[in-house]
Amino acid sequence: MPVCIQAQELEPAAAWSLESCEKIALERSPIIQAAQYGLDALQQKYTAATWTWFPTFKLRAAATLIPPQGDDEPAEGDPDLSGFNFWSKTELEVYAPLYTFGKIAALKRMAKSGVRIGQSVVKLAEEEVIYQVHRAWYGIQLAAELHDVVNDAESLLRKARKRIETLEEEDSDDFDQNDVFRLRIHEAEIQDDVLKNKRLSTLSKAGLRVAMGLRKKDLLKIPAKPSKLLPVQLTTKNLEETIALAGRKRPELRAAQYKVALRQANVDRQFAEFFPDFYLVGSFSFARSTVDQEDTVFSKVSFNATGGAAAIGLQLTLDYPIKVANWKEAKAELAKSESELQAARDLLGLEVEKAWLEVQDQQNLHQFNRRAVRAARSLLVSHVQTYEDGIDENVTLDTILGAASTYLKRKAEWLRSVYTFNLGVAQLSRVIGTPMGQNP
């Protein structure tokens, strides 16, 4: 059925979630709209193919003014054309195919396979848009989480600077000029993180806007503080089941299968060209004028006549060398599509296995990073307590800064590993053609 998609004005609403962003993207993305219009065109081809059996009617009508043909008296039996006369004629022709040796049936199969290919292209576009939405959303979440980490680091540096300044003002023996230099180094590292995080946030929001098909005047209604970045729940069981699922769901593979069906139908259609078409043809004509003429077979021109006829015909063009070449070309195209399908099947397992193994590695990595964050935090707390109690003179301000820097870096690294894992699950979903994870 016809597809007509118009960009709707976004109504003011509560802040969007990931699910609402997906919904808007599926409705507004120009990538999906282009695929939908392509599918609509293919559906119209199928509609046209289904009407091929329907009789074809051709209607012709003509009218003219006949000027005087002379002053001579007409011969006996001839019409009188000495004055002005009006003449009109209407003809109706009908053509109906009776038997075509499978040409029309093959054409319908080709059109139907084309629709299936169009549907696969739409599905492929949807999977790509959803992946882009997920990537941008996870980037926004990561930027928000890293912003908090950077704030914690800046807060820690402010406390350290205040302590150093106090020691310097009091001319304390605990003051060390090297602590000032170390503090500046840490401040430079933090400033670099601030700029990188700001760039990540800006690009992620821009990517989300593009993926959702938003215009410049549309507000990006994401929460100022999005939900925490947590690892998604992976729904895959094992590699073999994942590969089998991809064989059933992957849009590119389904499109390749329908392409083979289309090529096979074309081979059948080209083979049917070797045989004739039987058809029924009929015509009816009606001519009237102001000419005074008797309807007689001896008249050279019939100014007033009514009649019709019908017949069964046979049509066959004898350009067999061209037909043989077209048939062989169709067979070659079929063999090519079959080889492409087999190659796609062979590569599917490798591609799915690669994405699946990457997700497994990323899942293990973010779990290890989480343990490292806890260990770094415990170490920082221990050093702070020791430093404040003065138990160990070897635990200096530089020790505290180093432990705090390690903790914050490990926390940032854990957040990045969660982002990478979530993005890997989104990529795995795109490779397979169906969601493979659930948001916590």
Side-chain angles (χ1 to χ4, degrees):
M1 65 181 179
V3 177
C4 183
I5 302 176
Q6 279 188 323
Q8 302 293 329
E9 295 291 336
L10 295 177
E11 298 180 358
W16 297 331
S17 63
L18 175 58
E19 290 73 17
S20 58
C21 288
E22 289 180 12
K23 182 180 179 181
I24 295 173
L26 292 175
E27 294 174 350
R28 296 173 59 94
S29 171
I31 298 176
I32 297 178
Q33 290 181 13
Q36 287 281 9
Y37 285 122
L39 173 59
D40 181 48
L42 293 171
Q43 288 174 331
Q44 300 310 314
K45 286 182 178 293
Y46 178 73
T47 301
T50 58
W51 280 85
T52 309
W53 277 111
F54 194 77
T56 301
F57 296 89
K58 183 185 293 185
L59 180 65
R60 288 195 300 265
T64 185
L65 184 65
I66 304 175
Q69 303 297 310
D71 298 331
D72 297 338
E73 291 292 332
E76 186 177 354
D78 289 342
D80 183 5
L81 301 176
S82 58
F84 283 95
N85 290 279
F86 178 80
W87 174 86
S88 66
K89 185 178 182 179
T90 303
E91 293 180 315
L92 177 64
E93 294 183 359
V94 181
Y95 172 88
L98 296 178
Y99 188 72
T100 64
F101 287 91
K103 296 183 184 70
I104 295 178
L107 184 64
K108 290 173 62 176
R109 284 161 47 207
M110 291 177 63
K112 187 174 183 179
S113 297
V115 171
R116 297 291 183 264
I117 292 174
Q119 292 171 342
S120 299
V121 172
V122 171
K123 180 64 176 176
L124 180 62
E126 292 175 347
E127 294 294 336
E128 176 63 25
V129 167
I130 289 176
Y131 170 75
Q132 297 298 338
V133 169
H134 279 232
R135 183 172 68 174
W137 184 266
Y138 295 145
I140 292 172
Q141 285 184 314
L142 176 61
E145 295 280 3
L146 291 178
H147 178 73
D148 292 341
V149 173
V150 170
N151 285 343
D152 292 342
E154 290 179 330
S155 175
L156 179 64
L157 291 178
R158 284 194 299 271
K159 293 179 180 178
R161 174 170 289 280
K162 183 177 181 180
R163 179 174 178 81
I164 292 175
E165 291 174 349
T166 300
L167 293 176
E168 185 179 12
E169 291 175 358
E170 295 175 353
D171 197 19
S172 172
D173 294 337
D174 293 333
F175 174 74
D176 187 351
Q177 184 65 36
N178 291 332
D179 288 340
V180 178
F181 300 145
R182 297 186 185 97
L183 184 63
R184 291 175 181 174
I185 294 173
H186 287 295
E187 287 176 339
E189 292 177 349
I190 292 300
Q191 186 60 31
D192 181 60
D193 291 336
V194 169
L195 295 177
K196 288 181 179 179
N197 193 44
K198 184 178 295 185
R199 185 166 61 249
L200 173 62
S201 177
T202 301
L203 293 178
S204 296
K205 291 177 181 178
L208 183 62
R209 178 180 292 275
V210 171
M212 295 175 64
L214 300 182
R215 296 174 298 222
K216 291 184 178 180
K217 66 178 183 179
D218 295 327
L219 295 178
L220 192 62
K221 295 183 66 62
I222 59 174
K225 181 67 175 178
S227 57
K228 293 183 68 65
L229 178 62
L230 299 174
V232 300
Q233 299 174 359
L234 192 61
T235 58
T236 56
K237 295 182 178 180
N238 55 58
L239 179 59
E240 290 73 19
E241 291 183 359
T242 305
I243 294 176
L245 182 62
R248 298 190 303 269
K249 296 291 187 178
R250 182 160 178 161
E252 297 98 321
L253 192 61
R254 296 171 64 186
Q257 293 170 340
Y258 293 130
K259 187 176 181 180
V260 169
L262 186 149
R263 298 298 187 193
Q264 180 62 64
N266 188 40
V267 169
D268 297 339
R269 186 176 70 88
Q270 295 298 335
F271 183 75
E273 291 292 337
F274 292 118
F275 304 97
D277 293 338
F278 292 93
Y279 60 90
L280 175 66
V281 63
S283 64
F284 177 82
S285 63
F286 178 81
R288 283 294 180 268
S289 70
T290 59
V291 177
D292 184 13
Q293 177 206 34
E294 296 182 2
D295 192 2
T296 171
V297 296
F298 297 103
S299 299
K300 296 179 180 179
V301 180
S302 296
F303 290 94
N304 301 280
T306 303
I312 294 178
L314 178 148
Q315 178 176 306
L316 176 65
T317 58
L318 301 179
D319 53 344
Y320 276 92
I322 297 178
K323 291 181 178 182
V324 171
N326 291 338
W327 178 54
K328 290 184 177 180
E329 179 185 358
K331 291 177 66 177
E333 292 290 344
L334 172 61
K336 176 185 176 182
S337 298
E338 290 175 339
S339 298
E340 290 174 345
L341 175 60
Q342 186 58 48
R345 285 172 173 166
D346 293 339
L347 292 175
L348 175 64
L350 180 61
E351 190 173 353
V352 172
E353 183 175 3
K354 178 177 178 295
W356 190 83
L357 290 176
E358 287 179 352
V359 166
Q360 299 300 319
D361 292 342
Q362 292 158 359
Q363 187 176 38
N364 293 331
L365 182 61
H366 89 69
Q367 291 173 351
F368 280 117
N369 281 331
R370 185 176 184 181
R371 296 194 199 103
V373 170
R374 292 176 176 175
R377 185 179 184 280
S378 299
L379 184 62
L380 173 61
V381 171
S382 175
H383 282 326
V384 170
Q385 291 177 348
T386 302
Y387 179 74
E388 292 178 349
D389 296 340
I391 300 175
D392 188 351
E393 61 181 10
N394 293 323
V395 179
T396 63
L397 181 61
D398 180 52
T399 305
I400 300 299
L401 288 176
S405 177
T406 299
Y407 165 66
L408 294 173
K409 286 181 179 179
R410 296 316 307 174
K411 186 174 182 180
E413 192 62 29
W414 170 68
L415 291 171
R416 292 189 182 96
S417 66
V418 173
Y419 165 80
T420 304
F421 168 70
N422 289 357
L423 195 60
V425 175
Q427 172 65 13
L428 180 63
S429 301
R430 182 173 64 168
V431 168
I432 296 175
T434 190
M436 301 304 296
Q438 294 180 346
N439 292 316

